[in-house]
Amino acid sequence: MSNARTARFSRRGLIATGGALGLGALVTACGGDAKDGGSDSTAAGKPKSGPWSFKDDRGTTVRLDKVPATIVAFTGVAAALHDYGVQVKGVFGPTKTADGKPDVQAGDMDISKVTILGNAWDQFNVEKYAALAPDVLISTMFDDAGTLWYVPEASKDKIAKLAPSVGISVFDRQLTQPLQRMWQLAESLGGDMTAAKVTDAKKRFEAASERLRKAAKAHPDIKVMAGSASQELFYVSGTNLSIDLEYFKALGVNFVEPPEKAKAKTGGWFESLSWENVDKYPADIIMMDDRSSAIQPADITEATWKKLPAVKAGQVIARSPEPILSYDKCVPLVENLAEAIETAKKVS
């Protein structure tokens, strides 16, 4: 958690490190619904041999002479593109764990086949990036200022000079919007969006969403809390701003909502609690940050945590504050919450 401490007073850094349960950050965004963007470089999922263009969520249109061949992307974006058959050459962001295994944000990518430019917050090897001769850099965005997620502030200008960038907003909107945007981006890059695996995943996501809606309607009294753990603090996320929680709330899930005043110091994302006060909000189900920067439930030793009714009842599930934006990876996020609500005991 050293990076967490170093970046503690940066709103970007706070959300990126396990302390940020609200999903990572105030970093890049820029509105733009799916209907406002897209590319004119594909037809039926097949890239044209001619020029490529894509309008991102900053309202910026990137134009190239041909479909990008050398793509560098934030790890989670690369994982989503991988699910659609689009391979990247380089990645930045949490990619491998200390024991060399793929980070949760790497999805199904073979991380041995990509150049890792940085594996943690504020790490980005500009020299390696230049050596790749990138055609485009792609990342997500967590605010409306147009800053790209995990692109270091200190080197962003150097990075920007080497290749154009595309930003997909994951700020203050429901999950379905960035999912659609990533679909459009993958299609423009040559992804086969008619493949059975792809179309099946989308159908499964829709079915899972309907299941969650029905579960929430059938169990309106079940209270869900989204949390994240660090050594010093426990973070309770509000539903506003986070794409997954906003979507789940829209489907009817009854969430713990910290008051706006309590979230003010974190830009409205979450409330920080001492471990002594971890029982401040009654909850029947606790969704815990699954990112490697956060302490996982099995490793939490605080006695106050172990005494929580939801913990004692075994009603703790994983949450991905930075979902991999492919339908395949989002299906289990929805299904797991639906199942938890369907089977939960009222303990709060």
Side-chain angles (χ1 to χ4, degrees):
M1 298 294 289
S2 58
N3 282 341
R5 297 190 181 98
T6 300
R8 178 164 300 163
F9 298 107
S10 158
R11 288 173 21 183
R12 288 181 71 199
L14 186 60
I15 296 187
T17 55
L21 169 183
L23 203 265
L26 306 159
V27 169
T28 343
C30 239
D33 291 343
K35 66 180 184 302
D36 297 324
S39 167
D40 59 10
S41 66
T42 63
K46 303 300 181 182
K48 292 180 180 179
S49 58
W52 175 87
S53 70
F54 188 86
K55 184 178 180 181
D56 75 359
D57 290 340
R58 296 169 296 187
T60 300
T61 299
V62 176
R63 292 184 171 88
L64 299 173
D65 292 337
K66 59 181 180 179
V67 176
T70 303
I71 302 169
V72 171
F74 170 66
T75 301
V77 170
L81 292 176
H82 172 84
D83 285 352
Y84 293 131
V86 178
Q87 306 306 318
V88 307
K89 298 294 180 64
V91 297
F92 55 95
T95 306
K96 63 180 179 180
T97 59
D99 58 3
K101 295 180 180 179
D103 186 273
V104 64
Q105 294 192 61
D108 294 333
M109 277 195 304
D110 183 344
I111 62 174
S112 69
K113 294 183 178 180
V114 294
T115 298
I116 300 175
L117 304 175
N119 194 56
W121 187 252
D122 263 345
Q123 290 183 3
F124 193 111
N125 191 313
V126 180
E127 290 72 25
K128 280 188 177 181
Y129 179 59
L132 287 173
D135 293 319
V136 67
L137 179 147
I138 308 171
S139 192
T140 46
M141 307 184 297
F142 284 88
D143 68 9
D144 56 5
T147 323
L148 297 170
W149 191 223
Y150 266 81
V151 173
E153 186 72 20
S155 55
K156 67 177 184 179
D157 292 338
K158 292 181 180 179
I159 293 168
K161 291 177 182 178
L162 295 170
S165 63
V166 167
I168 299 297
S169 180
V170 289
F171 175 70
D172 196 16
R173 60 202 59 208
Q174 294 182 25
L175 178 61
T176 45
Q177 289 176 276
L179 270 173
Q180 185 179 359
R181 293 294 282 137
M182 191 62 71
W183 176 289
Q184 292 172 336
L185 177 59
E187 185 176 35
S188 80
L189 294 170
D192 184 359
M193 315 315 283
T194 63
K197 179 181 178 181
V198 172
T199 56
D200 176 65
K202 189 172 184 180
K203 290 177 182 177
R204 289 189 293 112
F205 177 83
E206 292 167 351
S209 297
E210 179 61 16
R211 177 184 175 185
L212 178 56
R213 187 192 66 77
K214 290 180 178 178
K217 185 176 182 179
H219 304 279
D221 59 328
I222 296 298
K223 199 79 171 178
V224 180
M225 179 168 67
S228 184
S230 72
Q231 289 183 342
E232 298 88 358
L233 297 169
F234 182 82
Y235 307 89
V236 179
S237 180
T239 56
N240 291 336
L241 308 181
S242 299
I243 57 173
D244 61 329
L245 302 185
E246 284 203 12
Y247 183 55
F248 299 155
K249 179 174 67 175
L251 292 175
V253 177
N254 182 9
F255 279 102
V256 166
E257 294 282 5
E260 292 304 314
K261 183 178 180 180
K263 299 185 294 179
K265 292 182 179 180
T266 62
W269 290 87
F270 53 88
E271 178 182 1
S272 304
L273 299 176
S274 66
W275 282 103
E276 289 76 14
N277 295 314
V278 73
D279 61 351
K280 180 177 179 178
Y281 298 108
D284 303 296
I285 296 170
I286 303 176
M287 303 174 67
M288 289 296 289
D289 188 342
D290 69 355
R291 293 174 296 178
S292 55
S293 54
I295 297 177
Q296 297 306 298
D299 299 320
I300 299 175
T301 59
E302 302 290 341
T304 48
W305 163 261
K306 295 180 179 180
K307 292 179 181 178
L308 292 178
V311 175
K312 292 172 68 175
Q315 296 176 175
V316 178
I317 64 173
R319 175 199 171 206
S320 297
E322 296 181 58
I324 293 173
L325 296 173
S326 73
Y327 287 101
D328 181 69
K329 294 300 179 292
C330 288
V331 167
L333 307 184
V334 184
E335 287 182 336
N336 291 345
L337 180 55
E339 182 179 3
I341 292 174
E342 289 166 350
T343 60
K345 297 178 181 178
K346 182 66 180 174
V347 295
S348 64

